[in-house]
Amino acid sequence: MVIPRAMGAADDLLAWVLRGWVEAGVPDLTLGGTLLESGSFSAENVRRQAGSEGILLSFPSFDPGEEWVYVVVAAGSSVHVTCGDTLFSHAYAGIAAHEVGGRILADVRAHNEAFGRWRAEGGAVGLAESRSIRSPRGEGTSRVLVELLEKRYAVGRTLQSGPEEGWWLQAHTAAALGGAIRVGEGVDPTYRLGAIGPALENPEQRAYAASIRSLGGWVMGSSVVGAVVGGLGLAVAGFNVFRQRADFILTRGLDGMGDLLSVHAIPLLSFVGAMVFFGSFFTAGLRMRALRNLTLVRVLLVIGAVPCSGACCLAGLPLGAWALYRLQSPHAAVVFGERRR
């Protein structure tokens, strides 16, 4: 699936609103022109003030020679549209970015038609009502969009010719992005379903990432074996307690290390150590499979690989050491998304 950006490299809400209006045939009057009955827009505020004062969508007013001006600003993940002259105020949120411009245009046109009929029937807008509707201050837009507009308007070109020019940047057209998909690898540098790790274009990095995911599976598998060993230890401990062998837990009567190795507390200690091993290696394996949290993975591998981690130390020590060695590769930081390629 290829999702091109709104305009060139710009992908913010105001860029999508502008694109939606151009695709709907609304003329760009930023550099001047005649206002049409179906509406026209101006991006002068985006060009001069980075969009904090919004985009202006204008229509001929009910009164000859006047205009109804709708102010469209972006605030966070929502778009606010206001017009005191027509008593219109609405916020758009939860709508796909590429649908916002068309939705605003349809709603405003429908409102204008209904409002015009109301005025024709004698309706009048009071000053207090008009002033009660105020446009919130927008959060502005990306510097990328501002520079794109400035370059076009500086040479006397509007957004009207955008579609026929491939939205101003050939590298971001649908055709160019589609051609960048790697055959057989499922790697799309623009969009990848599930967002599993960074998009890797280097063949060596892709191979390294695949080996780390495979190694993570082995780490998780060994942790399950550790959990089984821990469960057996707990079962033996429970059986001895059931037989009322208090010395099993209390280890009383010990005279030295030699006695400790011969008492029945070993199954209980095996359970505790195996659970530490299981928790550390299972979590490390999950993170290796997801290619996330490189530092956490290294710490967990050390914890699980130490000899005191129970009966699984024979498996944990070499496997943990091998995993740590593999994670010392210069590709590790890139694959785990902790450094730019």
Side-chain angles (χ1 to χ4, degrees), residues 27-337:
D28 180 4
L29 299 189
T30 303
L31 299 180
T34 303
L35 180 62
L36 301 183
E37 188 71 27
S38 58
S40 305
F41 72 85
S42 171
E44 184 66 20
N45 287 341
V46 180
R47 178 188 182 189
R48 300 300 185 190
Q49 301 171 346
S52 60
E53 298 296 329
I55 312 170
L56 304 183
L57 180 62
S58 303
F59 297 84
S61 172
F62 177 80
D63 300 312
E66 296 186 5
E67 299 178 4
W68 288 334
V69 180
Y70 290 81
V71 181
V72 182
V73 299
S77 60
S78 62
V79 177
H80 298 259
V81 183
T82 56
C83 178
D85 293 333
T86 62
L87 304 180
F88 185 91
S89 178
H90 190 73
Y92 295 82
I95 303 174
H98 65 278
E99 298 177 357
V100 174
R103 177 73 173 273
I104 292 173
L105 186 61
D107 290 351
V108 169
R109 284 174 173 173
H111 178 77
N112 282 346
E113 184 178 349
F115 187 79
R117 289 197 302 267
W118 178 73
R119 287 292 307 275
E121 294 171 357
V125 178
L127 183 60
E129 293 177 303
S130 178
R131 290 183 175 180
S132 66
I133 297 180
R134 297 183 178 180
S135 174
R137 184 173 180 81
E139 296 180 358
T141 188
S142 65
R143 186 63 188 171
V144 175
L145 178 60
V146 175
E147 292 177 351
L148 185 151
L149 296 180
E150 179 58 33
K151 288 179 180 178
R152 293 189 66 82
Y153 293 140
V155 295
R157 305 175 70 182
T158 65
L159 304 185
Q160 235 50 55
S161 58
E164 64 188 45
E165 296 177 8
W167 288 107
W168 307 288
L169 190 61
Q170 189 64 30
H172 289 90
T173 62
L177 293 175
I181 297 178
R182 301 298 186 265
V183 178
E185 294 292 339
V187 177
D188 180 353
T190 302
Y191 177 84
R192 186 165 61 175
L193 187 62
I196 304 174
L200 304 172
E201 299 180 12
N202 188 317
E204 294 181 358
Q205 292 173 354
R206 291 201 299 271
Y208 177 79
S211 68
I212 291 300
R213 290 195 181 99
S214 177
L215 183 57
W218 282 98
V219 171
M220 292 176 64
S222 66
S223 71
V224 174
V225 175
V228 173
V229 173
L232 292 176
L234 182 62
V236 173
F239 177 74
N240 282 279
V241 171
F242 180 76
R243 294 175 60 190
Q244 299 182 352
R245 296 186 56 179
D247 61 304
F248 167 74
I249 297 179
L250 299 178
T251 64
R252 59 189 178 188
L254 296 179
D255 295 328
M257 184 59 66
D259 289 341
L260 178 62
L261 298 177
S262 63
V263 298
H264 297 286
I266 292 180
L268 186 59
L269 295 176
S270 297
F271 167 74
V272 175
M275 288 301 98
V276 173
F277 175 84
F278 169 76
S280 300
F281 265 42
F282 191 83
T283 304
L286 281 177
R287 295 291 81 196
M288 291 172 70
R289 297 283 297 174
L291 299 179
R292 288 290 184 267
N293 309 108
L294 178 59
T295 301
L296 176 63
V297 169
R298 288 170 173 168
V299 171
L300 291 175
L301 288 173
V302 171
I303 294 175
V306 294
C308 63
S309 60
C312 292
C313 64
L314 294 179
L317 186 57
L319 184 59
W322 175 247
L324 286 170
Y325 171 77
R326 294 287 292 137
L327 292 175
Q328 296 304 312
S329 169
H331 297 312
V334 175
V335 167
F336 277 75

